[in-house]
Amino acid sequence: MWFVSLLILIFILGIIILVHEFGHFIWAKIFKVHIYEFSIGMGPIIFTHKGKDKIDYNIRAIPLGGFVSMAGEVYEDDEKIDKKSFMCNKPWWQRIIILIAGVTNNFIMALLILFVSALIWGGNISLPVVDDVVEDFPMEKAGIVAGDKILEINGRKVNNWDAAQILFIMESKDNKYELKIENKDGKVRDVIVQPKIEKGDDGIETKTFGIYIKTDTLTGFLGSIKYAFLKFGSIVESMALTIEGLFTGKISLQALSGPVGMYEVIDSSIGYGLNYMLYIVAFLSINVGFINILPFPAFDGGRVFFLIIEKIKGSPVNSKFENTCHLIGFALLILLSI
């Protein structure tokens, strides 16, 4: 069974990476940037094909990552290439489009999957509205009842349950969470909830609040479009909150998942059916896009950041400095993955 899960993970990552890299590739071709290679995976080449466009199309042995190798990504690096074909010599706006095209493709892919999934099975949106509480648990003891709506958690406004869950995961002073609650009559009150702390067999602590959340199901063409954008927005917001929590120390590094974590998610999801698997693909596609647009060296967002600096200062950033930053960033990413 583990082998099947591994193959599914490789297939899913391959599709997500292919879609991402195709975004860079197609816009580089449109803007006539010289392309050496289009590769899926990393490491040794196990299959190669030279197209009529003289580009090497490769599949590499390690099914993690992928890349489009273009001439002059940072500086003029090949004397055999026409200077007009270097990416670094293209207009600023063209370079921006090429760099963000991969992320854009990942986001479009996720929206389409969420839309199609909702069109077939209906799309479930979890709202920050209490459907029921568990007797003798923290929420019930704090006076929260069915029908109450959570407006804020520790001063942060809550628009969806995905974001609310991240705010509940974040560490809070004395393990107490200040909630702003609106009841069915529209009256607003403040309550303090202190969750139970339970430690699992793996030693990881979890917080238990004792609450069930209301879920709405959106169906039909327009409902599916609404679901796709609402779910997309809530996932992006929860990812942004997670990054914030990691930087502020309110979320442990244990919350991060590398390749092993992704395998475990896929392995545990197989029994839930095609609908859930499609959601995981959409989630991972958004994840890849979101992470890549962060202004960190080696990411697409890091390269965009250097282009923004170039635009502000009116001249290119020192190419050797930029290249060194990207190499260091890539090394740090490998270490983090390990």
Side-chain angles (χ1 to χ4, degrees):
M1 188 66 180
W2 68 268
F3 186 69
V4 174
S5 300
L6 183 61
L7 288 178
I8 292 173
L9 174 60
I10 291 171
F11 177 75
I12 290 173
L13 288 178
I15 293 296
I16 292 172
I17 293 163
L18 177 64
V19 167
H20 180 95
E21 295 302 327
F22 183 75
H24 297 310
F25 173 78
I26 195 63
W27 282 101
K29 287 201 75 172
I30 289 171
F31 294 137
K32 294 180 170 54
V33 174
H34 184 89
I35 301 170
Y36 298 110
E37 176 184 351
F38 181 95
S39 277
I40 298 300
M42 306 294 281
I45 296 172
I46 58 175
F47 173 81
T48 186
H49 169 73
K50 185 174 284 290
K52 293 180 180 178
D53 50 12
K54 298 182 180 179
I55 297 172
D56 291 326
Y57 295 89
N58 300 327
I59 297 177
R60 293 175 177 266
I62 304 172
L64 297 173
F67 60 91
V68 178
S69 179
M70 296 174 279
E73 292 187 43
V74 178
Y75 55 87
E76 294 183 9
D77 50 12
D78 191 339
E79 295 179 357
K80 299 177 183 178
I81 303 300
D82 183 355
K83 289 191 174 186
K84 292 180 181 179
S85 298
F86 286 117
M87 181 176 169
C88 62
N89 291 339
K90 295 296 179 180
W92 184 83
W93 63 272
Q94 290 186 4
R95 286 179 282 160
I96 289 286
I97 289 175
I98 292 170
L99 287 172
I100 67 172
V103 170
T104 303
N105 271 18
N106 282 134
F107 288 165
I108 292 172
M109 174 185 174
L111 284 168
L112 287 174
I113 290 173
L114 292 171
F115 166 73
V116 171
S117 176
L119 202 60
I120 298 172
W121 295 285
N124 294 326
I125 292 289
S126 296
L127 306 172
V129 177
V130 179
D131 194 46
D132 200 2
V133 292
V134 182
E135 188 176 350
D136 292 329
F137 271 71
M139 286 292 196
E140 194 258 355
K141 290 179 179 178
I144 298 202
V145 297
D148 283 349
K149 182 179 181 180
I150 302 172
L151 301 177
E152 293 181 8
I153 300 173
N154 288 341
R156 302 287 292 267
K157 289 185 178 181
V158 174
N159 298 311
N160 57 76
W161 184 241
D162 287 329
Q165 289 183 93
I166 302 300
L167 291 171
F168 279 134
I169 290 172
M170 286 185 177
E171 292 182 10
S172 187
K173 187 177 180 181
D174 299 324
N175 193 38
K176 293 180 180 179
Y177 292 79
E178 298 178 7
L179 311 183
K180 191 176 287 293
I181 302 294
E182 181 183 41
N183 65 17
K184 292 179 180 178
D185 299 325
K187 293 181 180 179
V188 178
R189 68 187 191 279
D190 295 322
V191 300
I192 295 178
V193 179
Q194 186 168 7
K196 287 184 177 180
I197 302 295
E198 299 176 338
K199 186 174 288 188
D201 296 334
D202 53 8
I204 297 177
E205 292 184 345
T206 57
K207 300 170 184 177
T208 305
F209 291 85
I211 187 175
Y212 293 99
I213 293 300
K214 185 179 178 181
T215 299
D216 279 352
T217 301
L218 299 174
T219 57
F221 185 82
L222 293 178
S224 298
I225 292 176
K226 183 179 180 181
Y227 166 77
F229 280 95
L230 285 175
K231 196 65 185 175
F232 176 87
S234 68
I235 291 172
V236 169
E237 184 180 355
S238 65
M239 288 178 179
L241 285 171
T242 301
I243 295 296
E244 177 191 325
L246 290 169
F247 272 100
T248 58
K250 292 183 178 180
I251 294 180
S252 168
L253 284 173
Q254 291 177 329
L256 291 175
S257 289
V260 175
M262 285 189 284
Y263 164 80
E264 290 175 346
V265 169
I266 296 298
D267 189 50
S268 62
S269 302
I270 291 176
Y272 290 100
L274 181 59
N275 185 21
Y276 190 72
M277 286 299 296
L278 285 174
Y279 173 78
I280 293 298
V281 175
F283 180 86
L284 289 175
S285 188
I286 295 171
N287 196 300
V288 168
F290 182 84
I291 294 297
N292 262 282
I293 205 60
L294 293 177
F296 185 83
F299 286 150
D300 296 335
R303 296 182 183 277
V304 170
F305 178 71
F306 279 108
L307 284 182
I308 292 172
I309 293 176
E310 174 185 321
K311 194 68 173 177
I312 293 171
K313 69 192 287 283
S315 61
V317 176
N318 182 280
S319 58
K320 289 184 179 179
F321 172 76
E322 181 181 346
N323 210 37
T324 301
C325 287
H326 292 315
L327 287 172
I328 293 172
F330 184 75
L332 290 173
L333 289 175
I334 296 298
L335 287 173
L336 184 62
S337 295
I338 292 171

